[in-house]
Amino acid sequence: MADLTTHIGNLTLKNPVMTASGTFGFGLEFADFVNLEEIGGIIVKGTTLHKREGNPYPRLAETPMGMINAVGLQNKGVDYFVEHTYPQLKDINTQIIVNVAGHSIEDYTACAERINALEKINAIELNISCPNVKEGGMSFGTSCPMVEKVVGAVRKVYDKTLIVKLTPNVTDIAEIAKAAEHAGADSVSLINTLMGMAIDAEKRKPLISTVTGGLSGACVKPVALRMVWQVAKAVKIPVVGLGGIMNATDAIEFMLAGASAIEIGTANFIDPAITVKVAKGIDEYLERHGFKSVKEIIGALEV
Amino acid sequence: MKKYIIDFCVSSNEALGNNAILLKLKAPGQMPEMRPGQFVEVKVENEPNTFLRRPISINYVDRSKNEMWLLVQKVGNGTRKLGELKAGDTLNCVVPLGNGFDTSAVKGKKVLLVGGGVGVAPMLMLGATLKAEGTTPTFLLGARTKDMLLEQDLFEKNGQLYVTTEDGTAGEKGFVTNHSILEKENFDKIFVCGPTPMMKAVAKFAKSKNICCEVSLENKMACGLGACLCCVTETQEGHKCVCTDGPVFNINELAWQI
């Protein structure tokens, strides 16, 4: 067996496979299908300072090789997470990472501060990219000055590993990544969902309540791969790659493009046991190609 | 209830009326425990336009043959592909999902099971379970026309069967809520599965008579596990997941205007 250990700043992952926020609940929902401790990191559902009801139904449209969602950050708020969810997660022997979202800088910092106090949570993923929040979730992630402002503010109150999740709905994602790096991010993860739309022609109506939503699944992989490649060349901090990863080969492609770790999202809906299969598949690839450590394939693309 | 990912083997795939099929699936090992009203998420293979699994309610479990039955209406690319499955093919299912009907307090009571269209599916397993527990149910099943009534013979074996058709080709003419049995009998509990307007009409009747009533919802969903939060319905306590908090809800929990 090859050494699958990888690092995101000071964070050590036993293997490069993590779960994308919003696709794996709090991990517990999948405990019947996988041993959660065989997953490198579990990034739990996006958490905001206050409880959010999310968007009205319908929130989902299936598209060719993918889906559009408009959940709108439905969650019970950080206090509920700290009091009720964290106690159920803290003894799971893997990295548990909280995805932090918000609609003002004060929301982000207050939420990050609460999570900072949790002993067994060694990292947060700052969601500055959810396209579903009207109040400005999008705007934080689409301009360099706003990225610097929000990442800088969270950096001041959060002293563990800070991963910043980037939206692909920008002109130049490498510039945004550099802004996050400059403001003190330990890592960037990308891509969040691509803004998309689906229509019912017969009814002449949009298929989801918010008209537009976030596209994910196999169909976004080529775009995600390209962006990871561009960002990995532009920044010195480690990059976490995600977007349409359905199997181990997809995951390996992201690592070759420069990702130090990967996240599996929509694929969890189709195969609830996919995470451990991908970890196993990466190991088999490394063995087959004679690599001793997964680190040898990070950015190993031969151009 | 523990959930599993299982490769079932297709025993048979029978075409029924109403563009429906009855899939009988053999479990390779021990059949998991499941309750009436629960559902499975099936993986449709070799259908490029079907990316997500399809939630299908459990029609019946035949433990003597180690078989689970799915009654599926062919409405889109995914379900049409299921219609092409042949004996010996494999169907990957995540099972069992959802809460199921609450049958805890119905022993010896008068129970009505209402099904409309392919919504009759979970009522067979529910009726058979109730009968096995000593409570013979009354079924009230509705369809547009006679040919669209499904599994009549099986329902008759498990309880008293009443039928409505919109065109009057079988049973009483009209909707299930027009059937005379609703006035003749006093029911203690009603379980409903079918199109939303039908469920709302039955729920309204139940509410007016102060009868305990449960409905089984069918929202669009992705994971079936309470992770994606796509299939929510409005309840008195805010959004709840149809896949894990449901699919069965007491009508008093829902935010329905009835």
Side-chain angles (χ1 to χ4, degrees), chain A residues 223-263:
Chain A
V223 177
L225 207 50
R226 181 266 293 180
M227 288 185 165
V228 165
W229 163 246
Q230 288 177 322
V231 167
K233 284 193 296 182
V235 298
K236 293 185 183 69
I237 52 176
V239 174
V240 178
L242 71 148
I245 296 176
M246 302 301 292
N247 53 48
T249 308
D250 291 341
I252 290 158
E253 290 171 16
F254 275 85
M255 298 196 74
L256 293 172
S260 297
I262 58 98
E263 296 177 20

Coordinates of all heavy atoms in Angstrom, one line a residue, chain A residues 223-263:
Chain A
V223 N -14.4 21.8 -16.8 CA -14.3 23.2 -16.4 C -13.5 23.2 -15.1 O -12.6 24.0 -14.9 CB -15.7 23.8 -16.2 CG1 -15.5 25.3 -15.7 CG2 -16.4 23.8 -17.5
A224 N -13.9 22.4 -14.1 CA -13.3 22.3 -12.8 C -11.8 22.0 -12.9 O -10.9 22.6 -12.3 CB -14.0 21.3 -11.9
L225 N -11.5 21.0 -13.8 CA -10.1 20.6 -14.0 C -9.2 21.7 -14.5 O -8.1 22.0 -14.0 CB -10.1 19.4 -14.9 CG -9.0 18.3 -14.9 CD1 -8.8 17.8 -13.5 CD2 -9.4 17.2 -15.8
R226 N -9.8 22.4 -15.5 CA -9.1 23.5 -16.1 C -8.8 24.6 -15.0 O -7.7 25.2 -14.9 CB -9.9 24.1 -17.2 CG -9.3 25.3 -17.9 CD -9.7 26.6 -17.4 NE -11.1 26.9 -17.7 CZ -11.7 28.0 -17.3 NH1 -11.1 29.0 -16.6 NH2 -13.0 28.2 -17.5
M227 N -9.8 24.9 -14.2 CA -9.6 25.9 -13.2 C -8.6 25.5 -12.1 O -7.8 26.3 -11.6 CB -11.0 26.3 -12.6 CG -11.8 27.1 -13.5 SD -13.4 27.6 -12.8 CE -13.9 28.8 -14.0
V228 N -8.6 24.3 -11.7 CA -7.7 23.8 -10.7 C -6.3 23.9 -11.3 O -5.3 24.3 -10.6 CB -8.0 22.3 -10.3 CG1 -6.8 21.7 -9.6 CG2 -9.3 22.3 -9.4
W229 N -6.1 23.6 -12.5 CA -4.8 23.7 -13.2 C -4.3 25.1 -13.2 O -3.2 25.4 -12.8 CB -5.0 23.1 -14.6 CG -4.0 23.5 -15.7 CD1 -4.2 24.2 -16.8 CD2 -2.6 23.0 -15.7 NE1 -3.0 24.3 -17.5 CE2 -2.0 23.5 -16.9 CE3 -1.9 22.2 -14.9 CZ2 -0.7 23.3 -17.3 CZ3 -0.5 21.9 -15.3 CH2 0.0 22.5 -16.4
Q230 N -5.2 26.1 -13.5 CA -4.8 27.5 -13.6 C -4.5 28.0 -12.2 O -3.5 28.7 -12.0 CB -6.0 28.3 -14.1 CG -6.2 28.1 -15.6 CD -7.4 28.9 -16.2 OE1 -8.4 29.0 -15.5 NE2 -7.2 29.5 -17.4
V231 N -5.3 27.6 -11.2 CA -5.1 28.2 -9.9 C -3.8 27.6 -9.2 O -3.0 28.2 -8.6 CB -6.3 27.9 -9.0 CG1 -6.0 28.1 -7.5 CG2 -7.5 28.8 -9.4
A232 N -3.6 26.3 -9.5 CA -2.4 25.6 -8.9 C -1.1 26.3 -9.4 O -0.1 26.3 -8.7 CB -2.4 24.1 -9.2
K233 N -1.2 26.8 -10.6 CA 0.0 27.4 -11.1 C 0.2 28.8 -10.6 O 1.3 29.4 -10.5 CB -0.1 27.5 -12.7 CG 0.2 26.2 -13.4 CD 0.4 26.4 -14.9 CE -0.8 26.9 -15.5 NZ -0.7 27.0 -17.0
A234 N -0.9 29.4 -10.1 CA -0.9 30.8 -9.7 C -0.6 31.1 -8.3 O -0.2 32.1 -7.9 CB -2.3 31.5 -10.1
V235 N -0.9 30.1 -7.4 CA -0.7 30.3 -6.0 C 0.3 29.3 -5.4 O 0.6 28.2 -6.0 CB -2.0 30.1 -5.2 CG1 -3.0 31.2 -5.6 CG2 -2.6 28.7 -5.3
K236 N 0.8 29.6 -4.2 CA 1.8 28.7 -3.5 C 1.1 27.8 -2.5 O 1.7 26.8 -2.1 CB 2.9 29.6 -2.9 CG 3.8 30.3 -3.9 CD 4.9 31.0 -3.2 CE 5.7 31.8 -4.2 NZ 5.0 33.0 -4.7
I237 N -0.1 28.2 -2.0 CA -0.8 27.4 -1.0 C -1.4 26.2 -1.7 O -1.7 26.2 -2.9 CB -1.9 28.3 -0.3 CG1 -2.8 29.0 -1.4 CG2 -1.3 29.3 0.6 CD1 -4.0 29.7 -0.8
P238 N -1.6 25.2 -0.9 CA -2.2 23.9 -1.5 C -3.6 24.2 -2.0 O -4.4 25.0 -1.5 CB -2.2 22.9 -0.4 CG -1.9 23.7 0.8 CD -1.3 25.0 0.5
V239 N -4.0 23.5 -3.1 CA -5.3 23.6 -3.8 C -6.1 22.3 -3.5 O -5.5 21.2 -3.6 CB -5.1 23.8 -5.3 CG1 -6.4 23.8 -6.0 CG2 -4.4 25.1 -5.5
V240 N -7.3 22.4 -3.2 CA -8.2 21.3 -3.1 C -9.1 21.3 -4.3 O -9.8 22.3 -4.6 CB -9.1 21.3 -1.8 CG1 -10.0 20.2 -1.7 CG2 -8.2 21.4 -0.5
G241 N -9.1 20.2 -5.0 CA -9.9 20.1 -6.3 C -11.2 19.4 -6.1 O -11.3 18.4 -5.5
L242 N -12.2 20.0 -6.7 CA -13.5 19.3 -6.8 C -14.3 19.8 -8.0 O -14.1 20.9 -8.5 CB -14.3 19.5 -5.5 CG -14.9 20.9 -5.2 CD1 -16.2 20.7 -4.4 CD2 -13.9 21.7 -4.4
G243 N -15.3 19.0 -8.3 CA -16.2 19.4 -9.4 C -16.4 18.2 -10.3 O -15.5 17.9 -11.2
G244 N -17.4 17.4 -10.1 CA -17.7 16.3 -11.0 C -16.9 15.1 -10.9 O -16.9 14.2 -11.8
I245 N -16.2 14.9 -9.7 CA -15.5 13.7 -9.5 C -16.4 12.5 -9.3 O -17.2 12.5 -8.3 CB -14.4 13.9 -8.4 CG1 -13.4 14.9 -8.7 CG2 -13.8 12.5 -8.0 CD1 -12.4 15.3 -7.6
M246 N -16.4 11.5 -10.2 CA -17.3 10.4 -10.1 C -16.5 9.1 -9.7 O -17.2 8.1 -9.4 CB -18.0 10.2 -11.4 CG -18.8 11.4 -11.9 SD -20.1 11.9 -10.7 CE -21.2 10.5 -10.8
N247 N -15.2 9.1 -9.9 CA -14.4 7.8 -9.6 C -13.0 8.2 -9.4 O -12.6 9.4 -9.4 CB -14.6 6.9 -10.8 CG -14.2 7.6 -12.1 OD1 -13.2 8.3 -12.2 ND2 -15.0 7.5 -13.2
A248 N -12.2 7.2 -9.1 CA -10.8 7.4 -8.7 C -10.0 8.0 -9.8 O -9.1 8.9 -9.6 CB -10.1 6.0 -8.3
T249 N -10.3 7.7 -11.1 CA -9.5 8.3 -12.2 C -9.7 9.8 -12.2 O -8.8 10.5 -12.4 CB -10.0 7.6 -13.5 OG1 -9.9 6.2 -13.4 CG2 -9.1 8.1 -14.7
D250 N -11.0 10.2 -12.1 CA -11.3 11.6 -12.0 C -10.5 12.3 -10.9 O -9.9 13.4 -11.1 CB -12.8 11.9 -11.7 CG -13.7 11.4 -12.9 OD1 -13.2 11.3 -14.0 OD2 -14.9 11.3 -12.6
A251 N -10.4 11.7 -9.7 CA -9.7 12.2 -8.6 C -8.2 12.4 -8.9 O -7.6 13.4 -8.6 CB -9.9 11.4 -7.4
I252 N -7.7 11.4 -9.5 CA -6.3 11.4 -9.9 C -6.0 12.5 -10.9 O -5.0 13.2 -10.8 CB -5.8 10.0 -10.5 CG1 -5.9 9.0 -9.3 CG2 -4.5 10.0 -11.1 CD1 -6.0 7.5 -9.8
E253 N -6.9 12.7 -11.8 CA -6.7 13.8 -12.8 C -6.6 15.1 -12.1 O -5.8 16.0 -12.5 CB -7.9 13.8 -13.8 CG -7.8 12.6 -14.8 CD -9.1 12.5 -15.6 OE1 -9.9 13.5 -15.7 OE2 -9.4 11.4 -16.2
F254 N -7.4 15.4 -11.1 CA -7.4 16.6 -10.3 C -6.0 16.8 -9.6 O -5.5 17.9 -9.6 CB -8.5 16.7 -9.3 CG -9.8 17.3 -9.9 CD1 -10.7 16.4 -10.6 CD2 -10.1 18.6 -9.9 CE1 -11.9 16.9 -11.2 CE2 -11.3 19.1 -10.4 CZ -12.1 18.3 -11.1
M255 N -5.5 15.7 -9.1 CA -4.2 15.7 -8.4 C -3.1 16.0 -9.4 O -2.2 16.8 -9.1 CB -4.0 14.5 -7.6 CG -5.1 14.3 -6.5 SD -4.7 13.2 -5.2 CE -3.5 14.1 -4.3
L256 N -3.2 15.4 -10.5 CA -2.1 15.6 -11.6 C -2.2 17.1 -12.0 O -1.1 17.7 -12.3 CB -2.4 14.7 -12.8 CG -2.2 13.2 -12.5 CD1 -2.6 12.4 -13.8 CD2 -0.7 12.9 -12.2
A257 N -3.4 17.7 -12.0 CA -3.5 19.1 -12.4 C -3.0 20.0 -11.3 O -2.9 21.2 -11.5 CB -4.9 19.4 -12.7
G258 N -2.7 19.5 -10.1 CA -2.2 20.3 -9.0 C -2.9 20.3 -7.7 O -2.5 21.0 -6.8
A259 N -3.9 19.5 -7.6 CA -4.7 19.5 -6.3 C -3.9 18.6 -5.3 O -3.5 17.5 -5.6 CB -6.1 18.9 -6.5
S260 N -3.8 19.1 -4.1 CA -3.2 18.3 -3.0 C -4.2 17.3 -2.3 O -3.8 16.4 -1.6 CB -2.6 19.2 -1.9 OG -1.6 20.0 -2.4
A261 N -5.5 17.6 -2.5 CA -6.5 16.8 -2.0 C -7.7 17.0 -2.9 O -7.7 18.0 -3.7 CB -6.9 17.1 -0.6
I262 N -8.8 16.2 -2.8 CA -9.9 16.4 -3.6 C -11.2 16.2 -2.8 O -11.2 15.7 -1.6 CB -10.0 15.3 -4.8 CG1 -10.0 13.9 -4.3 CG2 -8.8 15.6 -5.7 CD1 -11.3 13.2 -4.2
E263 N -12.3 16.7 -3.3 CA -13.6 16.5 -2.6 C -14.5 15.8 -3.6 O -14.6 16.1 -4.8 CB -14.2 17.9 -2.2 CG -13.4 18.6 -1.2 CD -14.0 20.0 -0.9 OE1 -15.2 20.2 -1.1 OE2 -13.2 20.8 -0.4

